[in-house]
Amino acid sequence: MMLGDSDRIGASCHYLRLGEWGLLLDAGIDPHQGNSTVPPYEKLKGMPVNAIMISHAHLDHLGSLPVAIRHFPHARVYMTPATAALSEVLLFHYLKVQERRAKLARIQFEPLYTPEELENYLYLFQSFEYNFPFNIHGFQESKIDLTFWDAGHILGSAGIEIKWRGKHIFYTGNTKKSKQFILKGAKYPRRTHILITETTYGSNELAPQLRKQNDINRLAEYVIQKIKYNGAILIPVFALGRTQEIMYLLHRLISQGKVPAVPIYVIGMGIKINKIYDRLLHKIYPDFQPKFFKTITADTLFRKQYRKPSIILATSGMMLPNTLSYEIASDFLSDARNGIAIVGWADPETPGGSVRNMNTEKIKAIFGIETVQCDIKVFYFSAHSHREELLEMIEDIHPHNTVLCHGDSEALRWMKAQVENRQLSSRVIIPKPAEILTF
Ligand SMILES: [Zn+2]
Ligand SMILES: [Zn+2]
């Protein structure tokens, strides 16, 4: 049963019933829409929920975990060690975001959970490394075997394999099949009966044709141009994942002499997350030295005091109002010397989405400016598989049943048609909200 959003990218949450046992896969929230997007956990009243599995620490997979634990206090909570470390930071941070939003909207602050509650829940997290099979157990043994697979999306992200009575189920979480700059690409089980897969880039026809190296060269060229005229470049990024990948790329370009050494600013939560990458990245990928990000000189940005030329990595990635990336963008947009580089996905309904689509009229209205002068460029460095990669994955895994999720309706439709036309799976399903599927 899909409890979260079914035809958009919002709260991710699936309920899996295996005989006497019940599992939740992810406990997300749509962080932009807030409390109203908590999955309807009450629908599971009277049903068993023995375990909650978290695929990775982005809020659309994690944000309502404290609410889920309150509903199902006996459930065990499983994730990878890196996801556990990141979840703590993300969940405390999201509490602050909720408070700030309430203050700005002048409404009563009604947090989804309290800091004390969260503090207690953190003790429930049990973590397992990739490729280390474990068993859900309680008073009785469940005979449900679980394995986390590296999903290649962000630090600690996992695809979740569930084996029960000879049946194999695989949930991709968010997945990136090919390498990013830091992460090395996802690994998948060889076969599965039921596949539950994300489809984020299912409607993007451009992505499969793009060559990563071209975009790296384009970015280097763009940075050089802006630096030449003493401009600054804003890169709106998610604090978790995108910040580290782009920071690493810029560091590489600078150390290879392809881009002049200019200050790179990182702000707020991105810094905290860098520290977790520093602590754990080398344990997953031994070719990174411990404290790698500490060796990259990044300046901290205080109250928009930046030098020029420079590069600023600022959250939010979607430039939501009252964030630093929104404020800096408002300053930058009417100055031709500056640039805004978009390096990831942005919901079309957000300011970042309007900038990404270069919708001038919308940009003027949202940011309250007269003209758009600044040089906006989009680069494709995704943390999600593009649609051909998703199809390759499905072909390799060859599932009997494929359940599509985590995509807009166009993405879901395209993927369904392709999986059917290419005969990659006997049955392809786009579930409706709270619809019960039986296999
Ligand atoms: Zn994600
Ligand atoms: Zn997601």
Side-chain angles (χ1 to χ4, degrees), residues 6 39 85 88 105 108 118 124 129 145 150 172 196 251 265 330 357 364 370 378-379 386 408 412 431:
S6 61
E88 184 175 343
Q108 174 99 19
L118 189 52
L124 299 174
E129 307 279 355
D145 292 311
D150 188 349
T172 62
I196 306 166
H251 164 73
Y265 292 100
S330 309
N357 299 331
K364 284 198 271 187
E370 305 271 302
V378 180
F379 301 91
H386 61 64
D408 58 36
L412 294 162

Side-chain angles (χ1 to χ4, degrees), residues 149-406:
W149 291 72
D150 188 349
H153 173 63
I154 57 167
L155 182 72
S157 63
I160 303 169
E161 186 184 28
I162 302 139
K163 293 184 193 164
W164 178 70
R165 290 193 186 164
K167 291 275 178 247
H168 297 203
I169 302 160
F170 185 66
Y171 170 54
T172 62
N174 286 171
T175 195
K176 173 68 177 164
K177 189 168 186 275
S178 55
K179 276 190 194 168
Q180 299 188 55
F181 301 113
I182 296 174
L183 298 200
K184 314 270 188 232
K187 303 235 169 13
Y188 303 108
R190 199 161 301 153
R191 67 178 186 126
T192 193
H193 298 96
I194 303 167
L195 171 71
I196 306 166
T197 180
E198 67 129 313
T199 58
T200 311
Y201 275 111
S203 55
N204 190 323
E205 55 185 313
L206 217 62
Q209 299 143 31
L210 298 165
R211 293 285 153 261
K212 197 159 89 178
Q213 192 54 48
N214 289 353
D215 271 42
I216 298 172
N217 297 343
R218 274 178 61 228
L219 178 69
E221 194 50 45
Y222 177 68
V223 173
I224 291 168
Q225 281 305 316
K226 293 288 130 198
I227 290 174
K228 204 153 109 192
Y229 298 104
N230 205 33
I233 297 164
L234 167 68
I235 309 184
V237 275
F238 291 121
L240 168 54
R242 227 77 292 263
T243 295
Q244 293 73 30
E245 290 283 343
I246 299 300
M247 211 178 139
Y248 174 59
L249 171 65
L250 292 169
H251 164 73
R252 212 171 71 184
L253 290 171
I254 289 172
S255 47
Q256 289 169 345
K258 291 184 179 160
V259 159
V262 290
I264 300 169
Y265 292 100
V266 181
I267 54 152
M269 198 177 44
I271 300 168
K272 270 193 192 161
I273 289 170
N274 281 355
K275 286 185 183 154
I276 298 177
Y277 268 66
D278 272 348
R279 192 147 53 85
L280 299 173
L281 183 63
H282 69 283
K283 294 189 178 171
I284 302 169
Y285 301 128
D287 53 329
F288 279 92
Q289 64 191 90
K291 299 194 176 162
F292 171 74
F293 280 93
K294 221 177 166 185
T295 65
I296 304 180
T297 44
D299 296 274
T300 309
L301 188 64
F302 294 106
R303 296 172 200 278
K304 295 202 280 178
Q305 289 168 357
Y306 49 85
R307 284 179 285 156
K308 280 184 170 184
S310 62
I311 302 168
I312 303 169
L313 299 175
T315 46
S316 83
M318 303 206 197
M319 295 198 229
L320 298 175
N322 304 306
T323 61
L324 209 53
S325 66
Y326 177 92
E327 282 179 31
I328 295 171
S330 309
D331 296 347
F332 274 27
L333 278 161
S334 35
D335 185 343
R337 280 172 310 175
N338 294 331
I340 298 179
I342 305 287
V343 294
W345 185 79
D347 186 326
E349 298 304 316
T350 61
S354 299
V355 173
R356 194 177 198 278
N357 299 331
M358 295 183 208
N359 187 331
T360 315
E361 289 313 307
K362 259 191 165 174
I363 296 173
K364 284 198 271 187
I366 293 170
F367 292 92
I369 48 169
E370 305 271 302
T371 53
V372 180
Q373 301 278 340
C374 140
D375 188 3
I376 300 167
K377 287 260 180 331
V378 180
F379 301 91
Y380 293 90
F381 300 131
S382 180
H384 295 270
S385 286
H386 61 64
R387 61 194 201 179
E388 288 300 329
E389 285 180 319
L390 287 173
L391 290 166
E392 280 166 26
M393 170 193 75
I394 299 173
E395 188 168 16
D396 290 347
I397 296 179
H398 205 73
H400 298 184
N401 299 283
T402 302
V403 180
L404 303 174
C405 60
H406 200 287

Side-chain angles (χ1 to χ4, degrees), residues 11-211:
S12 282
C13 183
H14 310 265
Y15 176 69
L16 208 62
R17 176 80 183 256
L18 305 168
E20 306 278 284
W21 297 77
L23 263 72
L24 273 187
L25 302 175
D26 282 337
I29 194 169
D30 184 336
H32 313 124
Q33 316 266 351
N35 297 16
S36 61
T37 60
V38 171
Y41 294 118
E42 61 283 353
K43 283 202 159 70
L44 299 178
K45 205 168 178 202
M47 294 197 240
V49 178
N50 306 90
I52 304 171
M53 320 285 303
I54 299 294
S55 68
H56 67 289
H58 279 149
L59 289 170
D60 60 323
H61 301 259
L62 166 79
S64 68
L65 176 61
V67 184
I69 296 175
R70 200 186 299 138
H71 270 87
F72 317 111
H74 302 294
R76 281 149 202 275
V77 184
Y78 297 105
M79 55 187 83
T80 64
T83 299
L86 292 164
S87 295
E88 184 175 343
V89 176
L90 270 283
L91 287 170
F92 275 112
H93 178 79
Y94 187 50
L95 205 50
K96 281 194 206 143
V97 171
Q98 292 173 60
E99 188 173 4
R100 199 177 59 202
R101 271 196 207 145
K103 209 183 239 171
L104 285 164
R106 294 189 184 176
I107 51 170
Q108 174 99 19
F109 173 42
E110 285 172 9
L112 284 171
Y113 45 89
T114 65
E116 294 76 24
E117 230 181 333
L118 189 52
E119 197 78 59
N120 288 331
Y121 292 165
L122 295 175
Y123 290 104
L124 299 174
F125 297 2
Q126 296 186 32
S127 38
F128 290 93
E129 307 279 355
Y130 295 134
N131 315 316
F132 187 92
F134 60 100
N135 178 267
I136 297 185
H137 54 89
F139 180 62
Q140 288 170 309
E141 213 184 326
S142 70
K143 303 238 165 43
I144 300 172
D145 292 311
L146 298 157
T147 310
F148 289 131
W149 291 72
D150 188 349
H153 173 63
I154 57 167
L155 182 72
S157 63
I160 303 169
E161 186 184 28
I162 302 139
K163 293 184 193 164
W164 178 70
R165 290 193 186 164
K167 291 275 178 247
H168 297 203
I169 302 160
F170 185 66
Y171 170 54
T172 62
N174 286 171
T175 195
K176 173 68 177 164
K177 189 168 186 275
S178 55
K179 276 190 194 168
Q180 299 188 55
F181 301 113
I182 296 174
L183 298 200
K184 314 270 188 232
K187 303 235 169 13
Y188 303 108
R190 199 161 301 153
R191 67 178 186 126
T192 193
H193 298 96
I194 303 167
L195 171 71
I196 306 166
T197 180
E198 67 129 313
T199 58
T200 311
Y201 275 111
S203 55
N204 190 323
E205 55 185 313
L206 217 62
Q209 299 143 31
L210 298 165
R211 293 285 153 261

Side-chain angles (χ1 to χ4, degrees), residues 412-426:
L412 294 162
R413 265 204 312 273
W414 188 88
M415 284 292 296
K416 184 172 193 289
Q418 290 300 314
V419 176
E420 283 169 349
N421 291 347
R422 301 186 197 187
Q423 301 181 337
L424 304 179
S425 182
S426 339

